[in-house]
Amino acid sequence: MKKIRVGVAGYGTIGQRLADGVALQEDMELVGIADLAPTLSLQALRENDMIGANGVEYKLYLVEGADPAAFAAMDIPVAGTFEDLCRSVDIMLDSSPAGVGAKNKAIYERLGVKAIFQGGEKNDVADVFFHGYANYEQGLGQDYLKLTSCNTTGLIRSVDCLDRAFGIEKVAITIIRRVADPGDYHRGLTNALQMEKAPTHQALDLMTIMPHISATGILVHTPVTHGHIITVVATGRNGRKITREEALAAFSAHPRIRVVTVDAGFKGNASFFKYARDLGNRRGDMYEIGLWADSVVESGNDIMYAINVPQESVTIPETMDAVRAALRMQPTREEGTAATNRYLKIGRFKNAQ
């Protein structure tokens, strides 16, 4: 089997996990990663002899402006330049800081290489604003795809799940958003909640991906780091009432949704992070969103529920879906998402219950 050759630009919070995700795909080959400075992430990788997930060697390439001497001083091996990496791949996964990906696109276009951008870039960087479950087929054969943000990715998973099962007319969301990733200091120390103007971009992005649904939402920043919590009120199409039992059955069948209860110990966002670590998941990551069965309630014809979004890892499966769509590895969402789920072992816990 010929493997799709993949490179990763930016080895930060998302880039590390993208590299891991590619290394776990049996039909993909991680050619290398690219970065600017010898960060702690790269220092840790060097201490592990440049070996990442699945025993794969992560070869490092330097972007323009990087100082080779800084890497040499820390004994971090360098395989070549960013353009060397781009010339060696079928597709690049760009997780560079916001705005840098758009600049990198000029390189991708000049070298004729496809690319997938993360949620921090503006939508116009890509041909398609992409989600593996909601609009997989729109990404087929496209040169440039852009992923939704972590919150939007998890939100769309749950809304798409209900929409395909019952038909959804509109949703109203409230996002309780973590303020920074673990280890980030740039936002400082805080003891406050911060409001954003409504509607939040996640609601607008959902409507871009799923234009048949009306969405609005409010977002509150919270001084925590492990995960977002989103509450959703969903209205069925044409007055269709969705019962609690129907919603739970649909959620429970979805591979990328983990239905949990408070009584089982899932008291909040930190519970998921601890559980992922106890499972032995690399970096304490969880690819599934968590959904509290206790939160699923009926309000007239509407259905309300709450989800937990592990912001560092939730977009990784959808990015693997994007590779599959852009390279036409699988022609349908069912086949593409199933392949990603199989290699990332997503949903395996459902078979163990």
Side-chain angles (χ1 to χ4, degrees), residues 103-163:
K103 296 178 181 178
N104 288 342
K105 183 181 178 182
I107 299 175
Y108 304 144
E109 289 177 321
R110 175 164 54 82
L111 298 179
V113 61
K114 293 175 180 277
I116 298 168
F117 302 91
Q118 292 300 301
E121 295 298 328
K122 293 182 179 180
N123 291 354
D124 59 10
V125 76
D127 303 315
V128 175
F129 196 20
F130 182 85
H131 189 282
Y133 276 85
N135 67 345
Y136 181 92
E137 282 81 7
Q138 290 184 28
L140 288 172
Q142 297 292 336
D143 289 334
Y144 303 106
L145 305 181
K146 187 207 147 190
L147 269 291
T148 53
S149 70
C150 53
N151 265 321
T152 311
T153 297
L155 173 66
I156 289 178
R157 277 189 203 170
S158 66
V159 175
D160 176 76
C161 175
L162 292 180
D163 186 44

Side-chain angles (χ1 to χ4, degrees), residues 253-280:
H254 197 294
R256 296 184 191 173
I257 299 177
R258 182 183 289 263
V259 178
V260 302
T261 65
V262 172
D263 288 344
F266 289 91
K267 297 181 179 181
N269 60 325
S271 302
F272 289 95
F273 184 71
K274 182 181 184 303
Y275 195 69
R277 288 189 299 179
D278 290 343
L279 286 172

Side-chain angles (χ1 to χ4, degrees), residues 288-327:
E288 306 91 5
I289 59 171
L291 188 146
W292 281 277
D294 318 73
S295 72
V296 182
V297 292
E298 299 172 20
S299 176
N301 285 349
D302 296 340
I303 195 77
M304 182 177 184
Y305 61 92
I307 61 175
N308 181 81
V309 179
Q311 81 279 357
E312 296 173 298
S313 52
V314 71
T315 65
I316 306 309
E318 275 73 8
T319 308
M320 299 302 107
D321 298 339
V323 174
R324 298 181 181 284
L327 275 303

